[in-house]
Amino acid sequence: MKKMYLWLFAIIFIVPASIAQSSLRMSDSKFKRQFLDRINDLRQRGCNCGGSFMPPVPALRWSDVLTNAAQGHAMDMAKRHYFSHESKNGRTLRQRVLAVGYDYKGIQKWAVGENIAMGQHSIDEVMDGWIESEGHCKNLMSPQFKEVGIYEYKYFWVQDFGGRTSF
């Protein structure tokens, strides 16, 4: 009888390959909340980005439109085996956000930015890496940015920032 219970216990923890390929198995709302909490805590405190202190700045809002742009780029990098801010077809961040309908009317200065990462297994791990990198950290702390969209696909992470002031 004990052997049967052990065998059943083992079956419960077998994960199909399709599920195992997704590095984050949390709800979208939990993913958003964890990222926004981590980013906005940093923005509220201010931090050192390389040799420069970045003072506190207002919190970011979540943007589903920027998330769509980030999703497309993360999936494209994973499927086409590259790691770059420029897509293999030559599309830039600006072209990708315009293609998903990011409305930038009313922005006095075109303000978009992007952080990418590959291989990290958690939100904390990818955020720690971005904070330690001067350029990525400055994106996180830029007062020009008002909103963010983030997507992870097969350990390819894309974080797109936008500067719209009206939504």
Side-chain angles (χ1 to χ4, degrees), residues 47-54 131-135 137-138:
C47 72
N48 285 310
C49 295
S52 305
F53 178 74
M54 304 295 287
I131 292 167
E132 291 176 18
S133 165
E134 184 174 359
C137 182
K138 285 183 176 181

Side-chain angles (χ1 to χ4, degrees), residues 99-124:
V100 297
Y102 187 75
D103 179 11
Y104 61 94
K105 293 177 184 151
I107 298 177
Q108 293 180 11
K109 180 178 175 185
W110 177 259
V112 292
E114 181 173 70
N115 288 344
I116 60 175
M118 180 179 65
Q120 292 81 0
H121 292 263
S122 70
I123 291 169
D124 284 339

Side-chain angles (χ1 to χ4, degrees), residues 14-30:
I14 295 174
V15 179
S18 61
I19 294 172
Q21 288 181 349
S22 177
S23 61
L24 295 177
R25 290 178 285 279
M26 64 178 75
S27 71
D28 285 344
S29 62
K30 185 176 179 183

Side-chain angles (χ1 to χ4, degrees), residues 107-161:
I107 298 177
Q108 293 180 11
K109 180 178 175 185
W110 177 259
V112 292
E114 181 173 70
N115 288 344
I116 60 175
M118 180 179 65
Q120 292 81 0
H121 292 263
S122 70
I123 291 169
D124 284 339
E125 188 179 351
V126 75
M127 280 295 296
D128 288 346
W130 283 334
I131 292 167
E132 291 176 18
S133 165
E134 184 174 359
H136 294 102
C137 182
K138 285 183 176 181
N139 275 344
L140 286 162
M141 294 301 298
S142 175
Q144 290 182 344
F145 299 138
K146 311 296 182 205
E147 53 188 339
V148 65
I150 307 164
Y151 200 83
E152 179 273 336
Y153 181 75
K154 295 185 178 183
Y155 306 114
F156 283 83
W157 302 78
V158 178
Q159 183 178 54
D160 287 342
F161 299 93

Side-chain angles (χ1 to χ4, degrees), residues 26-52:
M26 64 178 75
S27 71
D28 285 344
S29 62
K30 185 176 179 183
F31 180 85
K32 290 176 188 180
R33 180 57 31 221
Q34 283 186 0
F35 254 120
L36 276 177
D37 286 350
R38 184 78 194 271
I39 293 165
N40 288 332
D41 179 60
L42 181 74
R43 289 173 68 91
Q44 181 181 21
R45 289 181 288 120
C47 72
N48 285 310
C49 295
S52 305

